[in-house]
Amino acid sequence: MFGNLFEEDYSSVSNSQYGKGKKLKTKGLEPPAPREFTNLSGIRNQGGTCYLNSLLQTLHFTPEFREALFSLGPEELGSLEDKDKPDAKVRIIPLQLQRLFAQLLLLDQEAASTIDLTDSFGWTSDEEMRQHDVQELNRILFSALETSLVGTSGHDLINRLYHGTIVNQIVCRECKNISEKQEDFLDLTVAVKNVSGLEDALWNMYVEEEVFDCDNLYHCGTCDRLVKAAKSAKLRKLPPFLTISLLRFNFDFVKCERYKETSCYTFPLRINLKPFCEQSEQDDTEYMYDLFSVIIHKGGCYGGHYHVYIKDVDHLGNWQCQEEISDMDLNLKALQNEEEDDDPLMILKTILLQEETNQIPVDQLGQKLLKKTGISWNKKFRKQHGPLRKFLQLHPQMFLLSTDESTVSLLRNHFTQAPSDLQRHREEVLQTLASEPPGLSDNTSCPHWFDINDSKVQPIKEKAITQQFQGKESAYMLFYRKAKLQRPSEARANPRYRVPGHLLKEMDAANIQLQMRRAECDSANSNFELHLHLGPHYRFFNGALHPAVSPSESVWDLTFDKRKTLGDLRQSIFQLLEFWEGDMVLSVAKRVPAGLHVYHTLHGDELTLCEAEIADGEDIFVWNGVEVGGVQIQTGSDCEPLLLHILHIEMSGEGSKCEQLVESTHVFPSNAEVGTVFTALAIPVGVILTNSVESADEECWTAIPKEDMKKTFREQGLRNGSLILVQDSDNDDNSLLPKQGRWISGVDELNWLQVKNFCQLESEEKQVQIAATKHTVVFDIRIKAIKELKLMKELAENSCLRPIDKNGKLLCPVPDACTLEEAEVKMGSSLGLCLGKAPTSSQLFLFFALGTDIHPGAEMEVIVEETLSVGDCLKIMLEKSGQQGEMWHLRKMDWCYEAGEPLYEEDAILKDLMIRSGDTLLLTEGKLPPPGFLKVPIWWYQPARLSGHCESQDHSICTSSQGSSWGAAPTQGAPGPEPADISLLYLGDVEISEEATLLELKSKAMALPSLLKLAVHSTALLRVWTVENKRPSRLLRTDWWQLKEYRLGRRAELCLELLQKEEDLGPRDVLLRTQLRIPEKIEIAKYFPEKFEWLPISSWNQQVAKRKKKKNQDTLQGGPYYLKDGDTIGIKNLLFDDDDDFSTIRDDIGKENQKQLALGKKKSREVLRAQSSDVFSSAGMPTRPRGPEASLSIHVASFR
């Protein structure tokens, strides 16, 4: 009705929850949450599908519709497994609806997904993010269902449940002739404007008559003249379910805008339609309808959200009146307040009674107790009752612990025991609360209504419906059912009623899978990552602990279950550290700027890690509790080491009295006296000044009085990184600050900009300094620079300022109207005054260069409109660079200063492709293939053949050759055997669709002229590799896969290898190349040709086993080897050579060449670029207009 006028109102949730030492746990890997206490499932919003969710929940809570759909079996609808078969007629929409309803009924998850259903509609992700009108969806969905069910026993499902008829009559006042016309309806649309309620609107539509008289007469066919007449409408046939759409949205023709009617509009919970029907002879029960669903719209015409109030006819959910819930909370709160001071037993029972299943993890029980009472178990009860877990073990008559003691539940038979006189009243209250858990009371006098808002389901009172009569959040669609429709007793509170057997099995299996996933997730979430710092590998110096060996030996990472105790942790560390002797003390440590500091020791081996308040990523120091390396260690936060920066005077040169200011760092305990600074500097006495970083705009040194020298650093407010100034008492107190004032107030001097003359005009000055602040306008700086450079005044109309980066490159010009802060120009930086007008807001300033091998200073500059197409921009750049022809395309340079992805769509607008001012485009030779096609260079690969006996092998180094003859480039500096024939021969390019299979690619490659000469007899004898860095990289398997499934990318290159016989590699097979037979005692290593390095395999496993006590890798395809097809494996016979170094001279030369190449690239990027430009531009930010209205549609196949 209103297209996509309604845009979903939802808040975005940030995923940037990163912290130091913490692991980011991906939500997407966690299983869905179980149902809440209502035991009903919501539906997840896909971005803008709240209107769909509300309608689907209404259909789901229409039992007759749901069961009629369930009655259609696979023999009529087909099977979802056959939907991709070309000849199978699978009615996907009804099947997906069946599956969704089964999930809503039986699957233990908080919210179901509609992705499969919307996919069956033919909707894209764009459609799922766009909201539509629910009244429009209701008609389109019913139409799609009718089309999908043609030829089945459910072909009349919609007609049988929702179809009604209206008769329009005109009665001639002269001859009493009746002219009538019958109309069908699936829903009634009623007016809201100027109407008080539903019954008033129906009266106007189906009771009142329209009279034709005076100037508005009716032509009677019988009388054959204009006569007086009366027109009326009546409901002739009523459906079992009546859908009523309220016309809330209207158009104001005066203001020419849409608006929402928010006035009061009442509707009854039960309505008698007898006055509005044509035939009224039947019993009143035939005309009585009960309200069971209200779809509510919140918002206005151009934005809003849908949710639905639904009556649970079959009592499938757990429901309880809000007053009863409040009373229970008050009773529990009163009970808790009464007992919390004395009896922990009653507090724990109260907490467990509030749990839906009376079961909770033990560590969460402690957290809930802290939340309820405001004090932890350890502080309140541990001294008298012991640890929480032990307390639960001592009361088996009341608490039931699981086998692994991770969860606890309350024994229900405990309430059958006779309580003592002192506790009788409290036991009775608890027993009353436990005997009627939420939703299990059969209160038929209070209908069960729920508010279903996407994923959330909440019970509501029936009187809450009256709050939706008016306002911005008000009723939009009403659903009534005949009052005489009665549900069978076996359907009551039975979600499995009439659900097909195959769906029952699927849901049961899915629930088992969910339980397993939740158990695995709970186990994974219970693991902590601890960093163990081993005391014997540390030394104390410079005020803190520092590793005496490499970090890998001094710090070990340990993954441990947080539900286990400190005693378990200590035992695990004992087993891990086989060399440990004597006592072992575990202390919490922390890395500070000075080094590692120990804070407190962990006591209580019976405490779990959570109870000991150990966090994920905690640093644990393992030592004897007294000393480290013979030095006694002070622990605690009071003596935390502080790293201070001290400025003091030293004499420069021998015998010279010239003073210079020297900065040095020193570490002091926080509880040390400030006067210890003099001892550290070997100064007998002096003056100490502190610097306040809060006021950097002025000289802010403050002397510490002599009487405060006895105070500690912490009392003086000093912290890590604080700056202090120390003067000799022999010097004048003020002598140092004026001398070094330039250094101290250096921040104040950065209130200027340096402007260089790039206008290529003669001037006495080459550069000037212009005073400015961050609020200075760029135009004022430019005019002042022209005056101080003594340039012509005409430049004021034809010049601009361009920032200069650290490499001397001129960047995009800054607009004249911006301030320095808005233009992000830092104080103290350099700007270039260049020819050319200041940029406009609708233009782009672009750099461009020829080819993909770009050198600094080789770029050209151009100004274009941001609305220009890629093709037109290409023509302008070709013309400016003096190139001709059509065999060119544009690529965008990436952040690595390398050629990125090409711009494929020549008709695309630069602004739409996110091209911004300052971007660099590359003019690259070659025509791009059309969309959906790949242009793939094909190479011929001949594996290396080794001659002679070799001790180290290198099979993957090859050289490219584009000539017609085979050739191998010699490898310099490698003694011993050389590859006899290493080559990649260029065969040509193949242009092929992404939809084509690998087999079709092989066939096309065999048709290349260069390959015809090689006489390849069959595609089955060809092996296909991807090429990376001029080496075969990834093996492409499975001939019938489409190329797009390999994710090759637009810049992929492939090479072909000839086989001696056909092969069939499985997904877990790895193709490796070896040349030596394997002797009995060997060492093997993987080769990394891009780094010229070897990774020994067996020795690494031994190292891991020693450090982490983990099992050896079950597969070499996992880390750290990641063996894949084509990898080179070195094999060393330890009987002849026991050296574990696999490197060859070739590797050493390769590493050296890489180092020289990296230095060369770094130097080339540091070359200053001095080319100026005569025109410049910058881009503005366009406003995003409201999208056009889009119609809603559901795609259905033909089943006629």
Side-chain angles (χ1 to χ4, degrees):
M1 181 182 293
F2 284 92
N4 64 335
L5 298 178
F6 309 102
E7 298 174 359
E8 181 73 10
D9 292 341
Y10 57 92
S11 303
S12 59
V13 180
S14 173
N15 285 331
S16 50
Q17 302 174 7
Y18 302 96
K20 186 175 181 180
K22 304 293 182 185
K23 285 189 176 180
L24 185 66
K25 295 181 179 178
T26 308
K27 276 282 186 183
L29 299 178
E30 295 184 2
R35 301 189 181 207
E36 296 184 348
F37 73 98
T38 60
N39 199 32
L40 295 179
S41 175
I43 301 177
R44 282 191 292 275
N45 195 325
Q46 294 189 49
T49 57
C50 59
Y51 69 105
L52 173 65
N53 297 348
S54 300
L55 182 60
L56 289 174
Q57 289 284 16
T58 300
L59 296 177
H60 167 243
F61 279 94
T62 308
E64 291 78 5
F65 176 85
R66 184 182 68 228
E67 290 165 7
L69 196 63
F70 280 153
S71 66
L72 303 174
E75 64 279 357
E76 292 188 275
L77 300 182
S79 175
L80 288 174
E81 288 77 9
D82 301 332
K83 64 180 181 180
D84 295 326
K85 295 182 180 179
D87 299 330
K89 285 193 174 183
V90 181
R91 304 168 194 267
I92 302 179
I93 295 178
L95 286 171
Q96 292 292 3
L97 264 180
Q98 283 184 346
R99 193 163 178 267
L100 175 64
F101 288 166
Q103 291 175 353
L104 293 173
L105 286 170
L106 301 171
L107 198 58
D108 184 20
Q109 58 181 0
E110 182 184 27
S113 171
T114 56
I115 292 178
D116 291 337
L117 180 63
T118 53
D119 285 348
S120 71
F121 291 169
W123 290 1
T124 62
S125 57
D126 225 12
E127 193 72 40
E128 292 155 357
M129 293 297 294
R130 183 186 296 123
Q131 193 181 104
H132 289 278
D133 181 34
V134 68
Q135 297 174 4
E136 179 187 14
L137 173 69
N138 183 60
R139 296 164 188 164
I140 293 174
L141 179 59
F142 279 2
S143 175
L145 277 174
E146 283 186 317
T147 306
S148 296
L149 297 177
V150 168
T152 69
S153 59
H155 64 92
D156 61 342
L157 186 152
I158 303 298
N159 186 73
R160 187 172 70 249
L161 297 181
Y162 296 95
H163 178 263
T165 56
I166 302 171
V167 58
N168 296 291
Q169 296 180 341
I170 300 179
V171 181
C172 176
R173 292 290 178 87
E174 299 291 337
C175 65
K176 306 303 180 182
N177 180 61
I178 299 176
S179 175
E180 68 177 31
K181 181 181 180 181
Q182 182 172 296
E183 295 179 2
D184 299 330
F185 71 87
L186 293 177
D187 65 297
L188 295 179
T189 302
V190 298
V192 175
K193 185 178 181 182
N194 300 326
V195 182
S196 62
L198 176 61
E199 292 170 307
D200 190 15
L202 293 176
W203 185 273
N204 294 339
M205 294 170 62
Y206 301 117
V207 176
E208 291 189 353
E209 295 182 341
E210 179 184 357
V211 179
F212 297 101
D213 59 2
C214 300
D215 295 335
N216 186 27
L217 296 175
Y218 168 71
H219 184 273
C220 177
T222 305
C223 301
D224 197 20
R225 61 188 175 89
L226 296 175
V227 296
K228 292 181 179 181
K231 180 182 179 181
S232 64
K234 290 288 184 181
L235 296 171
R236 173 167 287 179
K237 176 195 170 186
L238 293 175
F241 298 92
L242 182 63
T243 304
I244 298 176
S245 302
L246 307 184
L247 287 177
R248 286 280 184 189
F249 298 101
N250 288 300
F251 190 83
D252 189 332
F253 289 94
V254 177
K255 297 181 180 179
C256 291
E257 63 180 14
R258 294 184 178 92
Y259 70 96
K260 181 178 180 180
E261 187 65 54
T262 58
S263 58
C264 182
Y265 189 89
T266 63
F267 46 88
L269 296 175
R270 171 169 285 192
I271 187 170
N272 187 350
L273 297 178
K274 190 172 184 178
F276 316 117
C277 292
E278 180 185 29
Q279 299 173 357
S280 56
E281 295 82 9
Q282 300 180 16
D283 189 69
D284 282 357
T285 57
E286 295 292 333
Y287 305 101
M288 300 300 294
Y289 281 78
D290 290 333
L291 183 70
F292 76 97
S293 177
V294 182
I295 293 182
I296 299 160
H297 180 265
K298 178 182 179 180
C301 286
Y302 298 103
H305 178 69
Y306 288 99
H307 63 109
V308 61
Y309 286 177
I310 285 182
K311 182 179 179 181
D312 183 11
V313 178
D314 282 344
H315 289 204
L316 299 175
N318 292 333
W319 182 90
Q320 192 173 24
C321 299
Q322 296 294 334
E323 289 82 356
E324 296 177 9
I325 297 175
S326 301
D327 292 344
M328 173 181 283
D329 290 341
L330 290 174
N331 290 335
L332 288 173
K333 188 173 182 180
L335 182 63
Q336 174 185 318
N337 292 335
E338 181 182 351
E339 300 297 335
E340 67 178 0
D341 292 335
D342 302 318
D343 193 355
L345 201 64
M346 303 305 297
I347 297 177
L348 297 177
K349 285 171 59 178
T350 304
I351 294 173
L352 286 171
L353 280 171
Q354 291 177 294
E355 294 297 315
E356 180 182 357
T357 59
N358 287 342
Q359 186 174 0
I360 188 175
V362 176
D363 53 351
Q364 290 186 21
L365 181 62
Q367 295 171 9
K368 286 185 178 287
L369 183 140
L370 174 63
K371 186 176 180 181
K372 291 283 184 184
T373 63
I375 189 168
S376 68
W377 175 275
N378 290 340
K379 292 183 179 178
K380 181 70 176 177
F381 302 113
R382 187 174 184 274
K383 183 177 291 186
Q384 180 180 357
H385 300 283
L388 175 59
R389 198 181 302 271
K390 185 177 180 180
F391 179 82
L392 296 173
Q393 292 171 349
L394 293 175
H395 294 82
Q397 75 281 3
M398 185 178 298
F399 303 111
L400 177 64
L401 283 166
S402 62
T403 54
D404 59 353
E405 298 187 351
S406 61
T407 61
V408 61
S409 59
L410 193 63
L411 287 174
R412 290 188 177 273
N413 58 5
H414 171 73
F415 296 109
T416 61
Q417 301 173 1
S420 65
D421 294 336
L422 295 176
Q423 295 184 343
R424 186 176 302 278
H425 171 65
R426 290 169 287 185
E427 292 289 343
E428 289 176 354
V429 173
L430 287 171
Q431 186 172 2
T432 302
L433 295 177
S435 62
E436 294 184 0
L440 297 181
S441 57
D442 187 14
N443 188 0
T444 56
S445 62
C446 192
H448 295 190
W449 282 86
F450 293 91
D451 177 12
I452 304 181
N453 190 346
D454 289 336
S455 300
K456 298 299 179 184
V457 182
Q458 295 292 334
I460 59 171
K461 292 283 287 183
E462 194 174 52
K463 62 184 180 182
I465 300 174
T466 60
Q467 299 174 6
Q468 308 303 328
F469 285 167
Q470 62 185 346
K472 286 191 174 181
E473 183 176 5
S474 50
Y476 190 58
M477 283 189 79
L478 308 175
F479 297 84
Y480 286 87
R481 56 183 288 128
K482 274 194 175 182
K484 72 172 188 177
L485 293 175
Q486 297 297 322
R487 297 290 296 151
S489 58
E490 55 267 24
R492 188 178 183 85
N494 182 12
R496 302 175 74 88
Y497 181 69
R498 294 282 182 91
V499 179
H502 68 281
L503 288 177
L504 289 175
K505 291 180 181 178
E506 181 183 347
M507 294 305 112
D508 291 343
N511 279 325
I512 294 174
Q513 188 68 24
L514 274 176
Q515 292 176 4
M516 294 172 58
R517 287 179 59 193
R518 286 174 184 144
E520 292 173 0
C521 183
D522 182 59
S523 175
N525 291 338
S526 299
N527 288 338
F528 271 175
E529 190 77 23
L530 301 177
H531 307 298
L532 304 180
H533 300 263
L534 307 183
H537 295 166
Y538 271 80
R539 293 293 179 268
F540 185 86
F541 59 89
N542 199 17
L545 292 165
H546 299 271
V549 293
S550 64
S552 61
E553 296 182 21
S554 58
V555 183
W556 290 13
D557 294 335
L558 177 66
T559 302
F560 201 75
D561 193 336
K562 65 181 180 182
R563 297 170 294 186
K564 292 187 176 181
T565 64
L566 285 175
D568 297 332
L569 175 62
R570 194 186 312 276
Q571 186 65 28
S572 297
I573 297 177
F574 259 122
Q575 295 175 1
L576 190 65
L577 306 179
E578 299 173 352
F579 58 85
W580 193 273
E581 296 180 358
D583 295 335
M584 175 183 289
V585 175
L586 303 182
S587 301
V588 175
K590 180 181 176 183
R591 292 183 176 95
V592 293
L596 188 73
H597 180 65
V598 179
Y599 284 83
H600 64 273
T601 300
L602 298 172
H603 298 287
D605 281 359
E606 71 279 0
L607 296 178
T608 65
L609 298 193
C610 288
E611 293 170 343
E613 299 179 351
I614 297 178
D616 189 12
E618 196 83 76
D619 292 290
I620 304 295
F621 192 65
V622 185
W623 60 317
N624 58 14
V626 179
E627 51 84 23
V628 174
V631 180
Q632 190 169 356
I633 304 300
Q634 289 185 321
T635 63
S637 57
D638 293 339
C639 57
E640 179 181 317
L642 294 180
L643 183 68
L644 303 180
H645 300 275
I646 300 179
L647 299 171
H648 60 284
I649 296 175
E650 285 187 0
M651 297 298 177
S652 59
E654 290 187 22
S656 174
K657 292 187 178 182
C658 181
E659 298 176 345
Q660 67 175 5
L661 192 63
V662 177
E663 178 180 351
S664 59
T665 58
H666 292 264
V667 178
F668 301 94
S670 299
N671 56 0
E673 296 179 357
V674 176
T676 55
V677 172
F678 299 125
T679 306
L681 296 177
I683 298 175
V685 69
V687 179
I688 299 178
L689 300 96
T690 61
N691 181 277
S692 175
V693 296
E694 283 78 10
S695 53
D697 297 335
E698 57 187 21
E699 296 180 4
C700 44
W701 293 98
T702 305
I704 298 178
K706 290 184 178 179
E707 57 270 19
D708 290 345
M709 290 295 179
K710 294 291 183 180
K711 289 186 176 181
T712 66
F713 288 98
R714 178 159 292 172
E715 291 172 341
Q716 199 62 42
L718 295 173
R719 52 185 182 269
N720 279 304
S722 293
L723 184 66
I724 62 176
L725 179 65
V726 180
Q727 287 188 245
D728 245 334
S729 59
D730 297 337
N731 296 336
D732 185 8
D733 288 352
N734 298 322
S735 63
L736 180 63
L737 293 178
K739 291 179 182 178
Q740 305 297 336
R742 174 178 177 82
W743 184 87
I744 296 171
S745 61
V747 176
D748 300 327
E749 297 180 7
L750 294 179
N751 57 355
W752 49 265
L753 293 171
Q754 184 170 277
V755 180
K756 297 182 179 181
N757 179 16
F758 282 93
C759 291
Q760 298 178 349
L761 300 174
E762 293 185 1
S763 171
E764 297 179 4
E765 302 289 338
K766 296 296 182 184
Q767 59 186 32
V768 292
Q769 281 190 356
I770 304 297
T773 68
K774 62 181 180 179
H775 302 296
T776 307
V777 180
V778 174
F779 176 79
D780 297 336
I781 297 175
R782 185 166 62 85
I783 298 302
K784 191 179 294 185
I786 292 174
K787 291 180 181 178
E788 296 194 14
L789 288 170
K790 299 177 182 179
L791 298 173
M792 297 182 297
K793 294 182 179 180
E794 290 78 5
L795 283 178
E797 299 296 328
N798 190 33
S799 63
C800 63
L801 292 177
R802 298 177 61 178
I804 304 172
D805 69 4
K806 61 182 180 180
N807 295 325
K809 178 180 177 179
L810 287 169
L811 305 179
C812 290
V814 291
D816 276 349
C818 292
T819 63
L820 294 178
E821 184 177 25
E822 293 170 344
E824 299 181 356
V825 176
K826 295 182 180 179
M827 304 303 295
S829 61
S830 298
L831 298 174
L833 181 66
C834 305
L835 290 173
K837 291 185 178 181
T840 65
S841 60
S842 62
Q843 294 177 321
L844 297 176
F845 177 84
L846 302 175
F847 297 100
F848 70 97
L850 284 174
T852 56
D853 189 13
I854 309 127
H855 301 284
E859 304 101 325
M860 292 169 274
E861 300 161 353
V862 69
I863 250 185
V864 295
E865 295 292 331
E866 63 180 3
T867 56
L868 200 67
S869 67
V870 173
D872 294 337
C873 180
L874 175 61
K875 292 177 182 177
I876 293 174
M877 292 180 175
L878 286 173
E879 183 179 351
K880 187 156 187 177
S881 61
Q883 302 296 324
Q884 295 180 351
E886 298 183 354
M887 302 300 291
W888 295 87
H889 66 273
L890 289 177
R891 291 178 181 266
K892 188 176 179 180
M893 184 185 293
D894 60 18
W895 63 277
C896 294
Y897 215 75
E898 296 177 353
E901 288 295 320
L903 306 180
Y904 284 96
E905 302 178 15
E906 291 194 354
D907 296 331
I909 305 301
L910 296 178
K911 179 176 67 174
D912 296 339
L913 296 177
M914 306 301 290
I915 303 296
R916 297 288 180 258
S917 285
D919 287 346
T920 301
L921 300 181
L922 303 178
L923 279 170
T924 309
E925 196 167 5
K927 191 71 173 177
L928 290 174
F933 280 76
L934 298 173
K935 189 174 182 180
V936 185
I938 303 295
W939 301 79
W940 183 260
Y941 169 55
Q942 183 170 351
R945 297 290 182 263
L946 293 168
S947 58
H949 179 74
C950 58
E951 298 177 358
S952 64
Q953 303 177 11
D954 184 2
H955 301 277
S956 10
I957 297 179
C958 52
T959 60
S960 301
S961 173
Q962 298 195 18
S964 58
S965 60
W966 295 86
T971 306
Q972 298 180 358
E978 292 293 335
D981 193 13
I982 307 173
S983 63
L984 278 181
L985 176 66
Y986 177 70
L987 300 176
D989 293 339
V990 169
E991 189 170 309
I992 190 169
S993 170
E994 292 179 329
E995 305 289 336
T997 63
L998 181 63
L999 184 61
E1000 292 171 340
L1001 173 70
K1002 291 181 180 180
S1003 300
K1004 268 207 166 187
M1006 287 180 63
L1008 292 173
S1010 302
L1011 193 56
L1012 291 175
K1013 302 177 182 177
L1014 300 176
V1016 178
H1017 301 293
S1018 171
T1019 56
L1021 296 177
L1022 288 178
R1023 183 187 287 159
V1024 183
W1025 301 81
T1026 60
V1027 177
E1028 292 180 12
N1029 300 323
K1030 299 181 180 180
R1031 303 174 185 276
S1033 174
R1034 177 164 59 105
L1035 179 62
L1036 304 186
R1037 312 161 187 248
T1038 317
D1039 282 351
W1040 57 86
W1041 274 24
Q1042 292 180 329
L1043 297 182
K1044 64 182 181 182
E1045 296 182 72
Y1046 294 105
R1047 302 177 184 270
L1048 295 176
R1050 296 283 183 176
R1051 303 169 67 179
E1053 298 185 29
L1054 303 176
C1055 65
L1056 305 177
E1057 178 186 356
L1058 184 62
L1059 303 174
Q1060 300 299 322
K1061 61 179 181 179
E1062 297 183 12
E1063 68 179 6
D1064 183 18
L1065 296 177
R1068 297 185 63 85
D1069 295 334
V1070 180
L1071 182 67
L1072 303 176
R1073 302 190 184 279
T1074 60
Q1075 292 292 331
L1076 291 179
R1077 65 179 182 87
I1078 301 180
E1080 294 181 0
K1081 189 176 181 181
I1082 62 168
E1083 179 82 9
I1084 59 175
K1086 178 185 174 181
Y1087 186 56
F1088 294 88
E1090 66 279 0
K1091 298 180 181 179
F1092 296 96
E1093 295 178 353
W1094 295 85
L1095 175 62
I1097 291 178
S1098 57
S1099 60
W1100 194 93
N1101 273 338
Q1102 294 165 8
Q1103 184 181 4
V1104 172
K1106 180 179 179 181
R1107 284 177 52 197
K1108 295 193 176 182
K1109 291 294 179 183
K1110 289 186 177 180
K1111 292 173 64 178
N1112 289 340
Q1113 298 288 340
D1114 294 329
T1115 170
L1116 294 178
Q1117 290 177 299
Y1121 314 111
Y1122 302 104
L1123 283 186
K1124 60 183 184 299
D1125 297 316
D1127 278 348
T1128 299
I1129 296 296
I1131 302 173
K1132 184 186 290 274
N1133 190 341
L1134 297 182
L1135 297 176
F1136 296 99
D1137 184 2
D1138 58 356
D1139 186 7
D1140 60 354
D1141 186 11
F1142 279 77
S1143 299
T1144 64
I1145 297 178
R1146 183 187 300 106
D1147 297 331
D1148 297 337
I1149 294 175
K1151 290 179 183 179
E1152 183 63 28
N1153 291 340
Q1154 282 187 335
K1155 187 183 296 184
Q1156 295 300 327
L1157 183 61
L1159 289 174
K1161 285 185 178 180
K1162 183 177 179 181
K1163 290 180 180 179
S1164 65
R1165 289 175 183 174
E1166 293 174 353
V1167 177
L1168 298 179
R1169 182 179 160 279
Q1171 181 179 0
S1172 62
S1173 174
D1174 48 359
V1175 284
F1176 310 103
S1177 157
S1178 78
M1181 290 297 293
T1183 58
R1184 183 180 179 184
R1186 186 185 301 277
E1189 298 181 15
S1191 62
L1192 178 65
S1193 63
I1194 295 177
H1195 305 285
V1196 188
S1198 176
F1199 298 102
R1200 298 187 182 277

